[in-house]
Amino acid sequence: MKSSQHETTEWSVSVTLTVSDNEPRPVLIVSPSWLSPGASVTLNCEVEHPSAGWSFYWYKAVPDLSEKSSSYELLPDGSGTAQDSYIIHGQTHTAGYVCRAGRGDPEYHTDHSQPKFVWSADVHSAASLTVSPDRVQHFTSDSVSLTCEGNFPEWRVRKFSEDGRLYSDCRRMTGSTCDINTSKSDTAVYWCESGSGEFSSAVNITVQNDGNGPILVSPVHPVTEGASVSLSCSLRTQKILSNVFFYHNDKLIQNDPRGELKISAVSKSDEGFYKCQYSGRESAQSWMSVKEATFDFLI
């Protein structure tokens, strides 16, 4: 009787099979990022495998401070659109948006997208954000206070960083004020959200990483047409400088021995990027926004 023989082979390369219950998540793109008067806002919802048959759902993000997140409200005519884009007209304040997609019968839905925001620098809203000291650029290890203002008892400060991360909590929040000891990672867009669902105006904060370089001292909020404004250049160890070069949209506009750029009556043409140069070192550039003057008439 012959004994049975078994032939063996080498082990195959191991393969890990992962089964996930996670729903795919679309990506929402919002354009523009910053509001300008009269401009519309376009939302685009991108799915991983685009094809025919998708329906799209569009939502407004409503702050929910108790859950440290947001709830979602369907936008007008935003349920099951055939188009992967949605246009919003007349938006004037900072706002957050979310989308999701669905297809099939019965309809299968993706997860909601991550919220994306359109920001308004206009402080004429029910909520506003002030910065102290009142300037866009700061040195590392500066003490900066962000204060939410408006008739609401609860606030949170949100931060959208340079690397695209969204932060919901201030590490040091006292009442309606968030205190920051600045580092390079604090370069970001900031705004306030109230417990009643209101968004404040938004501000840019830029932290200078070069300890020996200058910063441009420029206003955080838009300047009104016809108003005066002064820009200056500062070092960490020396606040008042002389023989400073100022640039507007990379064009040299002034070499002032007093170290200050004064615009006596701001016009829309003064809007743009500004930076300063001192002793061969340049500051970062910051955007100065100009808004139209509003007039109230008594009847």
Side-chain angles (χ1 to χ4, degrees):
M1 184 174 182
K2 294 182 179 179
S3 62
S4 60
Q5 293 183 348
H6 299 279
E7 293 184 359
T8 60
T9 62
E10 295 295 324
W11 288 98
S12 66
V13 177
S14 63
V15 176
T16 301
L17 178 63
T18 302
V19 179
S20 174
D21 291 330
N22 293 336
E23 297 172 335
R25 170 172 282 176
V27 174
L28 179 64
I29 298 173
V30 177
S31 179
S33 297
W34 287 87
L35 286 171
S36 57
S40 59
V41 178
T42 300
L43 311 181
N44 288 96
C45 196
E46 297 185 350
V47 291
E48 187 174 356
H49 300 293
S51 62
W54 284 105
S55 295
F56 297 90
Y57 298 81
W58 310 93
Y59 303 87
K60 177 175 68 174
V62 179
D64 185 348
L65 272 58
S66 63
E67 297 294 331
K68 296 184 179 180
S69 61
S70 298
S71 59
Y72 305 137
E73 290 183 0
L74 201 63
L75 289 166
D77 300 319
S79 178
T81 66
Q83 298 294 324
D84 62 357
S85 63
Y86 182 96
I87 298 176
I88 300 166
H89 300 284
Q91 183 67 39
T92 57
H93 304 317
T94 298
Y97 299 101
V98 165
C99 75
R100 72 187 306 194
R103 68 177 175 181
D105 185 16
E107 192 170 52
Y108 157 83
H109 290 97
T110 67
D111 198 357
H112 291 90
S113 69
Q114 293 284 5
K116 293 294 179 66
F117 297 87
V118 57
W119 298 297
S120 170
D122 189 1
V123 296
H124 293 295
S125 59
S128 61
L129 173 61
T130 60
V131 180
S132 179
D134 183 14
R135 63 175 190 252
V136 175
Q137 297 184 20
H138 302 268
F139 298 106
T140 54
S141 300
D142 276 355
S143 295
V144 178
S145 295
L146 309 175
T147 301
C148 304
E149 297 183 347
N151 192 25
F152 305 101
E154 290 183 280
W155 296 98
R156 71 178 172 201
V157 175
R158 303 202 82 176
K159 165 185 171 182
F160 187 78
S161 64
E162 281 188 307
D163 60 5
R165 296 186 182 185
L166 179 64
Y167 297 85
S168 298
D169 290 315
C170 172
R171 291 188 296 271
R172 290 188 296 161
M173 189 84 178
T174 306
S176 61
T177 299
C178 172
D179 293 308
I180 300 173
N181 189 31
T182 56
S183 65
K184 182 59 180 173
S185 64
D186 291 316
T187 294
V189 180
Y190 293 84
W191 67 97
C192 298
E193 295 177 359
S194 78
S196 302
E198 295 287 339
F199 289 81
S200 77
S201 51
V203 300
N204 269 309
I205 295 293
T206 301
V207 179
Q208 169 66 285
N209 208 29
D210 180 0
N212 298 317
I215 62 170
L216 175 73
V217 179
S218 62
V220 168
H221 296 296
V223 181
T224 304
E225 280 186 311
S228 62
V229 67
S230 295
L231 308 181
S232 61
C233 207
S234 176
L235 293 176
R236 184 191 296 275
T237 56
Q238 188 177 353
K239 302 302 181 187
I240 301 175
L241 305 176
S242 58
N243 296 320
V244 174
F245 295 90
F246 289 95
Y247 295 83
H248 178 216
N249 295 331
D250 286 325
K251 180 182 178 181
L252 178 65
I253 55 172
Q254 183 174 306
N255 177 13
D256 195 330
R258 297 167 298 172
E260 191 175 37
L261 173 64
K262 288 188 175 182
I263 305 174
S264 57
V266 171
S267 66
K268 195 65 177 177
S269 64
D270 294 314
E271 188 170 79
F273 285 104
Y274 288 83
K275 64 182 177 181
C276 65
Q277 184 185 75
Y278 175 74
S279 190
R281 289 180 177 268
E282 285 189 354
S283 71
Q285 62 178 6
S286 290
W287 179 266
M288 187 179 79
S289 182
V290 176
K291 65 177 182 178
E292 291 183 359
T294 56
F295 301 96
D296 296 322
F297 297 97
L298 294 176
I299 299 178

